Amino acid sequence: MASTKYIFVTGGVSSSLGKGIIAASLAKLLQARGYRVTIQKLDPYINIDPGTLNPYEHGECYVTDDGAETDLDLGHYERFLNAPTSQANNVTTGRIYQSVIDKERRGEFLGKTVQVIPHITNEIKERIQILGKSGDYDIVITEIGGTVGDIESLPYIESIRQLKWELGKKNSLVIHLTLIPYLAAAGELKTKPTQHSVKTLMESGIMADILVCRTEHELGYDLKAKLARFCNVEQEAVIESRDASTIYDVPNLMLEEGLDAISLKKLDLPDATQPELTRWNEFLAKHKNPKSEVTIGLIGKYVELQDSYKSILEAFIHAGAENEVRVNIESIHSEHITPEVIKNKIANLDGVLVAPGFGERGIEGKIKAVQYAREHKIPFLGICLGMQMAVIEYGRNVCEFTKANSTEMDPNTPHPVIDIMEEQKSITDMGGTMRLGAWVCKLAPDSIVKDVYGDEIIMERHRHRYEFNDAYRERLEKAGMKITGTNPDTGLVEIVEIEDHPWFVGVQYHPEYKSTVSNPHPLFVAFVRAAVSYAQDSTRASMA
């Protein structure tokens, strides 16, 4: 008998139904009942990880403490569970095949023909069970990317079929997330797509234990009974998942539907303890009942796809609730920022955040946004590339290094205030070669960030290749740019502030990755608080 129980979440009918949110919500409910829970994501693409993917392709790349570049769903897992994930929580087809091929090259298969079954499926099963065998978890939830019936997902579905048999009864279950479309012309919800999706799953040898049905309308008793009858599940295992006003409502909606209770029943686990969701619901109450609002501009070059900045947007939700304000995000494409329009785009904002990114496209617009925020004393937060743009802007307009730049954008700049590290210059592979994961940062005593964090030593996650050029440190500091955070081992600059500004912070790391419902990131909380103060001062000034 297995000591760890496994829950597999598959999807059918359509992509983007929210498997990650359902998995995270169920995990939250089980955790709130006292179970030790983690979630992993199996992605069927052949990339080793999303590290080399354009954000338009797959949304943001989420980075864990151990430096893994992972799917953005891991961000949802951490935000809901308030627990860190790792490389073991995200597996891709590329990583699976790479591992099997490496083993074949080492001769580990004793001359046998290497095939999808058993070699690829064995590798998948091994990866699925790494977290379970650690002894740290009672339940492991595994989300299978893609949609049932996709060619790419077949090895994962077959691995689950085998694993369910090997684990034995009551040790695993399959939740199938599907869509119940509403046909306006007929005025009806239609179950046929779900029936066909369940049939496709059964053709692969897997019978769904629980159906979670995404719908815009109430399913009702008769429709649930029909789904149960035609899909071979108990009626109590047909779970309605209505569209919610916020993803943070979903755990409570799933609690009302009994998703956690039926899951525990099928896994033969006690369900006497009710979920403890006090802190969660306090957050929800503040989020839904703000006392005021502020508008913050998010300056980026991938703003057409909101998932490109998913963790930043969620961090603002957490920080807004903590400050009891609604944070309205105005997404501004940096390529559209010119001297002629910058006042119209930024003057009415209560705060400016210049977002992370790579490459030279849209860079000048970001620099102009930094300059406007600095000169007009608007609260400013620069993240990763945003911090680097702040250094370049200060170098150009205050230190009079008119052609200051990063060597990423201009390899021949006469003033490379941002430059590539010496050890990075010989690297040719793009994937997994940046400064990644959690690094230590020591904060200066007389600084904004020291007050924000309340600690002298912090740990934050990184994802970048270019760094503050220490050769320009003395000149920048003399001109008024304060270095308020450095890595104690390497001396690398992590944080910059500006003396003559009420709230101006640029950080080389990604604070958004560590913001959760239970622990909003202090830097975002302080930034939003500064925006609130600025908005109130602006109101008083306009009334005077």
Side-chain angles (χ1 to χ4, degrees):
M1 295 291 289
S3 57
T4 299
K5 309 280 187 173
Y6 293 85
I7 297 174
F8 302 103
V9 181
T10 61
V13 180
S14 172
S15 59
S16 302
L17 293 182
K19 291 193 301 293
I21 299 301
I22 290 297
S25 298
L26 175 57
K28 182 65 192 176
L29 293 176
L30 296 173
Q31 182 193 61
R33 286 178 178 265
Y35 289 100
R36 300 174 302 160
V37 188
T38 191
I39 322 174
Q40 61 184 176
K41 174 75 178 289
L42 306 185
D43 273 310
Y45 52 73
I46 300 176
N47 301 68
I48 298 298
D49 57 44
T52 59
L53 287 173
N54 187 304
Y56 289 132
E57 288 281 327
H58 206 66
E60 77 170 4
C61 176
Y62 188 81
V63 179
T64 58
D65 279 340
D66 64 352
E69 294 176 285
T70 70
D71 183 80
L72 61 82
D73 273 331
L74 270 71
H76 291 312
Y77 305 163
E78 291 199 7
R79 287 187 282 273
F80 276 54
L81 294 179
N82 194 39
T85 54
S86 68
Q87 179 65 75
N89 293 80
N90 193 201
V91 179
T92 68
T93 294
R95 195 173 293 280
I96 293 291
Y97 272 82
Q98 183 185 56
S99 177
V100 171
I101 290 169
D102 287 345
K103 289 177 180 178
E104 184 272 331
R105 292 289 84 188
R106 293 194 297 267
E108 292 187 20
F109 298 123
L110 301 175
K112 291 185 179 296
T113 302
V114 180
Q115 298 175 290
V116 173
I117 302 172
H119 301 98
I120 297 299
T121 51
N122 283 349
E123 185 75 20
I124 292 171
K125 289 188 292 182
E126 183 181 320
R127 296 300 181 102
I128 288 173
Q129 295 178 91
I130 285 175
L131 292 165
K133 291 179 177 178
S134 69
D136 295 331
Y137 304 105
D138 304 310
I139 302 169
V140 175
I141 300 176
T142 302
E143 176 193 347
I144 314 298
T147 306
V148 167
D150 293 347
I151 291 174
E152 295 93 338
S153 299
L154 289 176
Y156 294 105
I157 299 299
E158 169 60 19
S159 299
I160 293 171
R161 185 195 67 77
Q162 294 179 21
L163 199 52
K164 276 181 66 68
W165 179 261
E166 294 165 12
L167 290 169
K169 293 181 179 180
K170 300 287 189 179
N171 288 318
S172 69
L173 65 85
V174 173
I175 297 174
H176 192 53
L177 176 63
T178 183
L179 176 68
I180 308 293
Y182 179 78
L183 296 186
E188 288 183 316
L189 289 165
K190 290 297 183 180
T191 65
K192 192 64 71 176
T194 292
Q195 293 177 48
H196 281 294
S197 181
V198 170
K199 179 182 177 183
T200 301
L201 191 61
M202 291 176 67
E203 286 171 353
S204 297
I206 297 177
M207 185 177 293
D209 298 289
I210 299 172
L211 284 183
V212 176
C213 304
R214 283 298 307 276
T215 175
E216 297 175 356
H217 303 272
E218 184 181 354
L219 294 183
Y221 178 89
D222 290 341
L223 210 63
K224 284 189 174 184
K226 181 179 179 181
L227 284 164
R229 184 165 58 251
F230 283 103
C231 297
N232 291 331
V233 297
E234 298 151 290
Q235 189 162 337
E236 64 177 338
V238 178
I239 304 296
E240 176 184 294
S241 178
R242 295 273 291 275
D243 292 348
S245 60
T246 168
I247 60 173
Y248 300 109
D249 278 328
V250 180
N252 281 321
L253 295 175
M254 292 301 98
L255 178 63
E256 291 174 10
E257 284 289 303
L259 177 59
D260 56 329
I262 188 64
S263 297
L264 291 173
K265 176 182 176 182
K266 289 183 174 295
L267 292 173
D268 197 27
L269 290 171
D271 69 343
T273 304
Q274 289 301 303
E276 171 50 59
L277 294 170
T278 302
R279 175 70 181 89
W280 186 272
N281 288 323
E282 287 174 353
F283 155 77
L284 264 178
K286 290 180 180 179
H287 173 51
K288 292 186 173 185
N289 300 284
K291 296 179 179 178
S292 61
E293 60 183 72
V294 293
T295 300
I296 291 176
L298 193 161
I299 317 296
K301 56 182 181 177
Y302 309 113
V303 294
E304 300 93 335
L305 181 67
Q306 291 298 291
D307 276 356
S308 300
Y309 304 111
K310 191 63 177 174
S311 291
I312 290 174
L313 297 177
E314 298 306 314
F316 274 127
I317 290 175
H318 308 155
E322 189 72 9
N323 284 288
E324 298 186 84
V325 300
R326 175 181 290 111
V327 180
N328 300 312
I329 300 298
E330 190 166 321
S331 297
I332 303 172
H333 201 300
S334 58
E335 283 190 295
H336 301 161
I337 296 177
T338 63
E340 295 75 28
V341 303
I342 190 167
K343 183 176 180 180
N344 291 336
K345 288 186 177 293
I346 298 180
N348 295 324
L349 299 174
D350 303 313
V352 172
L353 183 147
V354 175
F358 294 90
E360 63 181 332
R361 183 173 64 88
I363 290 305
E364 293 303 320
K366 289 188 174 186
I367 293 171
K368 289 181 177 67
V370 175
Q371 182 180 5
Y372 194 94
R374 178 179 61 80
E375 292 178 346
H376 292 82
K377 303 294 191 289
I378 302 173
F380 170 84
L381 176 60
I383 297 177
C384 198
L385 184 67
M387 172 267 206
Q388 297 176 1
M389 295 302 99
V391 174
I392 292 170
E393 189 278 325
Y394 207 78
R396 288 182 184 180
N397 298 315
V398 179
C399 297
E400 299 182 350
F401 304 143
T402 56
K403 293 185 177 180
N405 215 326
S406 165
T407 51
E408 180 184 6
M409 322 307 169
D410 180 6
N412 300 312
T413 174
H415 293 292
V417 292
I418 304 296
D419 198 6
I420 194 167
M421 292 178 65
E422 195 63 37
E423 54 264 38
Q424 287 277 339
K425 292 180 179 179
S426 60
I427 293 174
T428 56
D429 288 348
M430 296 296 289
T433 57
M434 293 182 278
R435 184 150 76 101
L436 292 165
W439 288 62
V440 174
C441 178
K442 184 176 182 180
L443 306 180
D446 183 21
S447 63
I448 292 174
V449 287
K450 177 63 168 59
D451 291 339
V452 165
Y453 283 94
D455 288 313
E456 183 181 1
I457 301 294
I458 60 171
M459 290 278 287
E460 293 284 3
R461 300 178 192 177
H462 294 67
R463 183 176 181 252
H464 62 97
R465 182 170 280 111
Y466 290 79
E467 303 278 356
F468 180 102
N469 187 347
D470 212 50
Y472 287 86
R473 178 170 180 166
E474 184 178 344
R475 281 174 281 183
L476 286 163
E477 284 191 305
K478 188 175 181 181
M481 175 167 275
K482 298 169 63 179
I483 308 302
T484 59
T486 56
N487 178 269
D489 298 320
T490 63
L492 293 171
V493 171
E494 300 277 15
I495 307 173
V496 299
E497 299 178 15
I498 291 177
E499 291 178 346
D500 187 25
H501 196 287
W503 210 97
F504 189 106
V505 177
V507 296
Q508 184 60 80
Y509 50 82
H510 289 261
E512 70 272 21
Y513 291 150
K514 294 184 72 173
S515 186
T516 71
V517 170
S518 297
N519 286 298
H521 196 285
L523 201 56
F524 277 87
V525 173
F527 179 44
V528 170
R529 189 182 302 122
V532 172
S533 297
Y534 179 81
Q536 293 171 345
D537 289 345
S538 298
T539 301
R540 286 197 296 270
S542 64
M543 292 173 63

